[in-house]
Amino acid sequence: MKLATTVGRLGNARLWLPLIAVALLPCPLAAQETRDAQQTRDAEDAATAHASWEAFVAQSEPTEWIDAPAASAVEAGDPYDVVDEGWEPLKIGPFQVGGAFRVNYIMKDWDDAYKDLGELAFDTARVNVDLDKNRMTGSFEFRYYQDKFADGHDYAMIHHAWLGWAFDDQQQVQAGVTKVPFGILPYASHNWFFQLPYYVGFEDDYDLGVKYIGAFAPWNFQAAYFPTDEGNYFGDSGDSARYSYDLVREGPNGNAERNQFNMRLAYTMEHREDYSTEVGVSVMAGGISNDNPQGGSGDRYAVAAHLVGNYDRWNLMLQALHYDFNVDNDPNRDASPDGSFVVFGAYDAFYYVASEATVYTAGLAYTLPVDWQRVTSLTFYNDFSLMVKDESGFQNSLQNVVGCAVDAEPLYIYIDLAMGKYHPWLGGEWTTSLAEGGDNGSWHARFNINVGLYF
C-alpha cells in the first residue's frame, strides 16, 4: 500500500478511546529488563542552553514537570537535570562539556543468577558537548555500554548530534540526529525504563533529518523530515547497534525506515500558578525500504493523542497511540511473509514487533521536596503501559513500573520495581514477546537501582 493510501487510513486508527480509561487499568507492581541501560534513561541528559533561550525552552518543552535551573537545555533538555552550585559545568569557549557514569544493582525473578544477592554492574558512560554561540546552538552525546551478552564486544553509539539556528526566541531549526517530535516530550515516563512506546520506536526516538520548532505560547508546533534513521555509525556488529529502536536490516525481514515526516501540535492551558494542562496530537508517516531480492517498498504511519497535567507537586501523563507498518517482504524467507510482524532493534540486538498495534500509557508522579544533606527531592511514581496488538492470536504486552527518583546532585538515583508480561526485557521470550507473545505468559519482575553521577 502506498503512502497516500496509508495516510488516508489514519481515521481508522482505534486511537480515540477515552484516555482516562488508561488510568483505570489494573497496575501491577513493576519492573523491567532493559538491555542494560538500554533503557538508559535520558532522564538526565541535559546539555545546556544560554540564558537568552530560557523563554524558548519553557515553551519548546512545556511538559517538563520538575523545576529545573535557569540553565536547562533546548531539545536535549532534561526535566530532571539540576546544576548544583558546587558542580559548575566545564566551558571551553562557546562549548560546554559534561557527561555521566551510571551503575545498576539488579535482581530478576526469572534468572537464578540474580535471585539471591543480585548483581552490581556497570551501566553507561557518556560524554556531552553543547554549543552556544550567538544564534547557533548544538548538542552532541556519545555513549558507551559494557558487553552484556557475552558476544565479544562492548557497544558505543551516538545518542544525538545536531546543530541548530535560532531565528528568534520562539523559533529554531535543528539538523542532524535529533529527537523525533512525537507524543509526550521529552519523555512519556517518569522511570528509568521508559514506557512500552520506547521499545517500538515511539518514545525518546532519534533520527537523522531536519526539524523546526515553533514555541508560540500557549501553542507549540514541531515539524520534521527524516530521510533515514540514525543508523549504526560505530561498532563491528549489526544494524541494531544504535540507541533508538527502529526497523533494522537484521533477522528475516531486512527492512529500514526511510522518508519520514512528523508533525506535533500541543496547546497548554494555564489554570493558575503551578497548575497547567497540555493537550496535543502527533502524526507520523513514512516509507519502508526492503533489501530482500523479492521484497518491495512499504509504508507506515502512526498517530497519537496525549495529555500532560502539572498540578503543583503532581504530574499526570496520559497517551494513546496507534501505529501500522505495511511491509512487502520476500515470500521465500521463512518469517513473516504475511507482514504480521516487523524486526526492530537497538543496543545491538533485534526482536520482532507486531506490525499494527495500539499502545496506551498512563503515569502519575508526586515530587516531595526534602532537605537531607545533598538530597533535595524525592519523586514517587507509577507508570503503566499496555500494547494491544491487532493480529488475531497475538498476545497483548504489558509493563508497569513503580518507583522513586532521588535527586542528590551530582547524583541522580532511580529505585524501580517493574513487572512485565510478554515483554522481552522482563522475562518474556526474547524474539517474539512484542509480536505473537510466545509461550511464557507469566508476569515477571525486576528490581533495579540505577545510580548516576552527572558532571
Side-chain angles (χ1 to χ4, degrees), residues 325-378:
F325 289 76
N326 301 292
V327 294
D328 185 5
N329 291 324
D330 183 348
N332 297 319
R333 287 207 173 187
D334 58 357
S336 190
D338 60 351
S340 62
F341 68 80
V342 290
V343 180
F344 266 68
Y347 296 87
D348 208 17
F350 68 87
Y351 51 61
Y352 303 157
V353 172
S355 295
E356 185 174 4
T358 302
V359 186
Y360 303 96
T361 64
L364 182 65
Y366 178 82
T367 299
L368 177 66
V370 298
D371 185 12
W372 303 340
Q373 297 296 324
R374 300 194 66 86
V375 179
T376 58
S377 71
L378 302 174

Side-chain angles (χ1 to χ4, degrees), residues 210-374:
V210 179
K211 177 173 63 177
Y212 167 82
I213 302 173
F216 308 101
W219 294 96
N220 180 271
F221 174 73
Q222 300 189 31
Y225 168 64
F226 301 100
T228 182
D229 53 45
E230 76 273 28
N232 171 19
Y233 299 110
F234 296 91
D236 55 359
S237 51
D239 192 33
S240 60
R242 61 182 70 198
Y243 170 77
S244 302
Y245 277 95
D246 299 303
L247 291 173
V248 294
R249 297 190 186 280
E250 292 188 65
N253 287 348
N255 294 313
E257 299 175 1
R258 294 293 183 266
N259 298 317
Q260 176 176 314
F261 295 88
N262 282 84
M263 286 193 298
R264 178 186 184 272
L265 181 65
Y267 180 85
T268 300
M269 297 170 282
E270 299 289 348
H271 310 299
R272 55 191 170 100
E273 186 177 0
D274 297 328
Y275 285 75
S276 66
T277 302
E278 177 191 281
V279 292
V281 293
S282 303
V283 178
M284 180 277 286
I288 300 175
S289 70
N290 193 313
D291 66 353
N292 297 333
Q294 303 301 317
S297 61
D299 53 63
R300 57 201 164 94
Y301 78 84
V303 292
H306 74 266
L307 180 149
V308 178
N310 295 294
Y311 310 118
D312 194 21
R313 297 179 183 177
W314 291 93
N315 172 259
L316 172 68
M317 294 192 290
L318 302 175
Q319 180 172 275
L321 72 88
H322 182 86
Y323 72 83
D324 189 358
F325 289 76
N326 301 292
V327 294
D328 185 5
N329 291 324
D330 183 348
N332 297 319
R333 287 207 173 187
D334 58 357
S336 190
D338 60 351
S340 62
F341 68 80
V342 290
V343 180
F344 266 68
Y347 296 87
D348 208 17
F350 68 87
Y351 51 61
Y352 303 157
V353 172
S355 295
E356 185 174 4
T358 302
V359 186
Y360 303 96
T361 64
L364 182 65
Y366 178 82
T367 299
L368 177 66
V370 298
D371 185 12
W372 303 340
Q373 297 296 324
R374 300 194 66 86

Side-chain angles (χ1 to χ4, degrees), residues 34 132 143 183 242 260 357 394 439 451:
T34 30
D132 175 15
R143 293 190 175 190
R242 61 182 70 198
Q260 176 176 314
F394 279 22
D439 297 329
V451 180

Side-chain angles (χ1 to χ4, degrees), residues 76-100:
D78 182 349
Y80 305 96
D81 203 18
V82 176
V83 180
D84 186 88
E85 293 179 358
W87 290 79
E88 293 297 329
L90 172 63
K91 293 186 177 180
I92 304 174
F95 297 97
Q96 181 166 296
V97 181

Side-chain angles (χ1 to χ4, degrees), residues 119-166:
E119 178 185 82
L120 183 65
F122 171 77
D123 173 12
T124 313
R126 80 172 199 230
V127 61
N128 301 84
V129 180
D130 298 288
L131 170 65
D132 175 15
K133 180 67 173 178
N134 298 325
R135 290 194 173 275
M136 179 174 288
T137 61
S139 183
F140 170 84
E141 182 175 310
F142 188 77
R143 293 190 175 190
Y144 166 82
Y145 296 92
Q146 189 177 40
D147 174 26
K148 290 294 181 182
F149 290 83
D151 52 8
H153 59 272
D154 298 338
Y155 314 102
M157 63 194 71
I158 287 177
H159 179 271
H160 64 266
W162 57 265
L163 288 175
W165 180 264

Side-chain angles (χ1 to χ4, degrees), residues 14-95:
R14 294 179 294 112
L15 171 65
W16 313 112
L17 299 180
L19 289 177
I20 193 62
V22 181
L24 300 178
L25 292 171
C27 294
L29 294 180
Q32 146 192 352
E33 145 96 274
T34 30
R35 139 156 333 250
D36 146 72
Q38 140 170 353
Q39 292 47 323
T40 66
R41 178 46 155 160
D42 210 0
E44 284 123 347
D45 295 92
T48 42
H50 53 70
S52 65
W53 273 90
E54 292 176 23
F56 172 81
V57 174
Q59 298 177 63
S60 65
E61 297 290 8
T63 63
E64 295 188 5
W65 53 276
I66 292 183
D67 291 339
S72 63
V74 178
E75 190 63 25
D78 182 349
Y80 305 96
D81 203 18
V82 176
V83 180
D84 186 88
E85 293 179 358
W87 290 79
E88 293 297 329
L90 172 63
K91 293 186 177 180
I92 304 174
F95 297 97

